[in-house]
Amino acid sequence: MSLQCGIVGLPNVGKSTLFNCLSNAKAQSANFPFCTIEPNVGVITVPDERLIKLGEICHPERGVIPTTVEIVDIAGLVKGASKGEGLGNKFLANIRETDAIIHVLRCFDDENVVHVDGSVDPVRDKEIIDAELQLKDLETVESRIQKCEKSAKAGGDKFAKLQLEVLVKYREALSQGKNARTVELDNKEQEAAAKDLFLLTNKPVMYVCNVDEDSAVTGNAYVEQVREAVKDEDAQVLVLAAKIESEIAELESYEERQMFLEEIGLQESGVNRLIKAAYALLKLRTFLTAGSDEVRAWTFREGMKAPQCAGVIHTDFERGFIRAEVIKYEDFVALGGEAQCRAAGKLGIEGKDYLVQDGDIMHFLFNV
C-alpha cells in the first residue's frame, strides 16, 4: 500500500533538514531502514514498539519486518506559485500526487538563517502557502463548475448536479481565503463527489513547528500562534527541533541517543513522532502476523474488513477468504504466545464482516 506524505514549506524553514533527518532515521532505532526511490522520495519504517515485544516472544527465524510510509521532499514554494512563479507548477503537481501534507513552519529566531520574507512569522508563512494552494483550487473549481453546469442541464446528470452543489460550497470557502478541508458536507453522497475533485487544500495536513533547542519540549510563542491560527482546521500540530534531530541522527549507539533525549527532556525523538503522526494522518493502521518464521507489520486503511486485509498479504487470500483467526496484541503478550491464547480461549474466529482493529494479530484461512 504505497501512500505518500509530502513535506512542504517556504525556503529556509528547515524542510530539507527535516527530510535529511528522516533519511538518517535508520540511525535512530534498531531495524529502521531508509531507502531512496528518487532523489526526493524516502521509504521510511514506521516505529512500532509492539514488534519488539512480539519478536522477543516468537524468536522468528526471518526476523521482524516493520511497515513503511513514503515521505516526499517537495521543492520550496514562493509567492506566485499558482501562476507558475519559481518552481510553482512542479511544486503544485508534486503536492497533487501526495495523499497528505506535512507543512513545515519556521518557529525559531536565528540571525544566521535568512528568512525569505525578512522576518519570522509562521502564521504569515502558512497563509502564503495556503493562498497559493487556494488559488490553484479555485481555478480547478471554477473550471469544473462550468463543465458540471453543462452536464447537469443538457443530460440531467444526477452526479453532475450533486458535484455542482459541492463545487459551489468549495468556491464560496476558497473565495473567502479558507481551505477546502474546512467545508462541511451534508452527506456521504457529497463526500463521494468531493473525492473526485482532488483539491490541494482538501488533503489532510499536519503543521510541523520547527523550533529552537530550548523550545523542543514546551514549544514557544510562535507555536501558540500557529495553534490559534489552525484551531478551526481539521489539522494536527507537531513540535520538533530539526537541528536537534540532525544531532541525534549523528550519534552512533541507541544508548547515546536515549541519553541525549533524556538530557533535553524528551522521551522519543521528533522524527519518530513525526513518522507515527504521518502514518495516522493517512488514516493507516497496522495488523500483525506473528510466528516462528517471522513477525511482521502490515498496513491497512482504517475501516477495512478481514477479507480486504487478507488481500494486503496476497490477492489469493482475499479471493478465497474463509475466515480469520484473531488474537488481541495485549492477550498475546500477557499470555506469552499463540498456543497459550488458544488454550485460554483468547483466539477469536471472525468472518467477512469483521472490522480489523489496529494491533490485531491475524491468521487467515483461505481456499483458492
Side-chain angles (χ1 to χ4, degrees), residues 243-286:
K243 187 175 180 182
I244 288 178
E245 297 300 320
S246 63
E247 293 174 7
I248 293 172
E250 291 175 3
L251 298 174
E252 292 186 5
S253 72
Y254 175 80
E255 290 73 18
E256 285 180 306
R257 293 188 289 275
Q258 288 305 115
M259 286 178 61
F260 186 101
L261 288 168
E262 289 172 11
E263 285 175 7
I264 59 176
L266 291 173
Q267 294 182 333
E268 186 177 27
S269 74
V271 163
N272 273 19
R273 288 185 289 115
L274 173 59
I275 296 169
K276 290 178 180 178
Y279 192 71
L281 187 66
L282 292 167
K283 296 189 181 302
L284 300 178
R285 301 293 182 264
T286 303

